[in-house]
Amino acid sequence: MNKARALSGIQPTSGSFHLGNYLGAVRQWVALQESHDTYYCVVDLHALTAGIEPAKLAEATLASAAQLIALGIDPNKSTLFIQSHVPAHNQLGWIMECITGFGEASRMTQFKDKSAKSGSDRTVVGLFTYPMLQAADILLYQPQYVPVGEDQRQHIELTRDLAGRFNSTYKETFRIPEGYILKAGAKIFDLQEPTAKMSKSSSSTAGLIELLDSAGANTKKIKSATTDDGREVKFDEVKKPGISNLLTIHSAFSGQSISAIEADFDGKGYGDFKAAVADVVTAHLDPIRERTNELLQDKGELTRLLKIGSEKAAAVADETVRKVYDAVGLIPRG
Ligand code: TRP
């Protein structure tokens, strides 16, 4: 039986993924490879909307692909590729822009938040059309599912609306995809500010565990994580957000239940607990960092794998563009 197709994308905005990216998304992408026909894309064109420096973008794109492989995305099981290597994304992106209402695009909350922060003169148009490029990323591959975090729900809704609109305006062309909202089970918070989501954009990096950082640096960050009053290792998100976050992290890596970990640390203090969390985390991240570095040292092999992925992706995407162009009345070159 054919497996259902799933597609997702991740932005290469930094040299290293952090724990939130991994536990919140990539780990679930890895699991989906077994049951689904998976397409995973490093969305470098989207990263351009953040005004990233050229050298940084190039480095982050390769580092993202290498980390995905090191984390378990298997290029033999998934189609792993770089967005800009498949020009069909831009081709369909434009068509999507031509069927999106200005008001509709203006209501995207991510655009509103980001543009409100920088002011309209410093907001690029690419940020405004970002969701239409994302719709193209998705619809090109006719996936059934789009595994993403809760924050992408509105973009998926727009994608569904655009697919339905295209189908009814022109011709039945797209499968209407469903969001597959990833379990928030492993929602990871900032170590310093345990009520805010762990994110690249937080004010300091002291609360951020980066996958490619040294074991020493990450141990130090975990040991200086904000804890709470009292000295009991107990899960209580309201009264003990710091300890609860560390319990979530421990459990995500060790596979032990929260209550088993609480029992282990019964009568012991925060210090012992933090040292144990640091051990569990670094034991898991050490081999991932090593594998990533190996891949980055052998760019030939990484490039070869990505080329295979983009060729597979382009074959599917080009076929969709051909149908779309035909449906809207763009004539073939002949
Ligand atoms: N906007 C997504 C994010 O910030 C990234 C993204 C771009 C994406 N294209 C996509 C996710 C297509 C899923 C499918 O996380």
Side-chain angles (χ1 to χ4, degrees), residues 3-212:
K3 290 179 182 169
R5 185 171 289 168
L7 171 135
S8 198
I10 190 160
Q11 282 205 52
T13 40
S14 100
S16 175
F17 293 156
H18 58 73
L19 221 54
N21 300 134
Y22 175 44
L23 298 175
V26 179
R27 196 154 77 156
Q28 300 181 61
W29 292 7
V30 173
L32 275 175
Q33 290 183 126
E34 308 305 326
S35 48
H36 290 69
D37 175 23
T38 41
Y39 282 66
Y40 296 125
C41 174
V42 177
V43 293
D44 54 348
L45 296 169
H46 277 110
L48 286 173
T49 63
I52 180 168
E53 271 170 55
K56 239 185 111 191
L57 176 58
E59 188 198 308
T61 301
L62 280 175
S64 299
Q67 284 171 94
L68 289 173
I69 296 172
L71 291 168
I73 301 293
D74 178 347
N76 292 314
K77 292 184 183 161
S78 290
T79 304
L80 172 66
F81 64 103
I82 307 293
Q83 184 188 32
S84 67
H85 291 176
V86 182
H89 291 250
N90 300 81
Q91 294 174 306
L92 184 59
W94 175 252
I95 305 289
M96 290 294 120
E97 288 175 38
C98 292
I99 63 167
T100 306
F102 190 83
E104 187 177 36
S106 309
R107 286 192 290 277
M108 293 291 114
T109 53
Q110 237 170 43
F111 169 73
K112 287 201 288 186
D113 292 348
K114 289 192 181 170
S115 58
K117 269 189 204 146
S118 31
S120 70
D121 281 344
R122 288 205 287 135
T123 298
V124 295
V125 174
L127 203 58
F128 187 65
T129 57
Y130 179 118
M132 290 129 257
L133 181 59
Q134 180 167 350
D137 296 343
I138 297 169
L139 298 176
L140 280 172
Y141 300 95
Q142 312 276 6
Q144 244 147 302
Y145 301 108
V146 187
V148 285
E150 178 61 38
D151 63 336
Q152 294 300 308
R153 200 183 276 280
Q154 197 187 27
H155 289 163
I156 305 301
E157 269 316 301
L158 177 73
T159 301
R160 290 167 55 83
D161 289 347
L162 294 178
R165 185 174 309 158
F166 188 96
N167 287 348
S168 59
T169 309
Y170 296 105
K171 184 174 170 189
E172 196 62 32
T173 306
F174 295 119
R175 179 200 290 277
I176 315 273
E178 277 172 51
Y180 180 105
I181 303 296
L182 297 168
K183 291 181 275 279
K187 193 162 180 195
I188 307 301
F189 297 92
D190 189 286
L191 297 180
Q192 287 299 316
E193 216 185 305
T195 46
K197 192 172 134 183
M198 185 177 284
S199 143
K200 247 339 247 190
S201 48
S202 31
S203 49
S204 93
T205 56
L208 192 72
I209 297 292
E210 299 203 89
L211 264 40
L212 302 184

Side-chain angles (χ1 to χ4, degrees), residues 197-233:
K197 192 172 134 183
M198 185 177 284
S199 143
K200 247 339 247 190
S201 48
S202 31
S203 49
S204 93
T205 56
L208 192 72
I209 297 292
E210 299 203 89
L211 264 40
L212 302 184
D213 260 1
S214 69
N218 282 334
T219 298
K220 207 166 147 205
K221 286 181 183 178
I222 292 171
K223 290 194 172 163
S224 16
T226 303
T227 42
D228 317 285
D229 289 347
R231 45 179 323 239
E232 236 192 319
V233 177

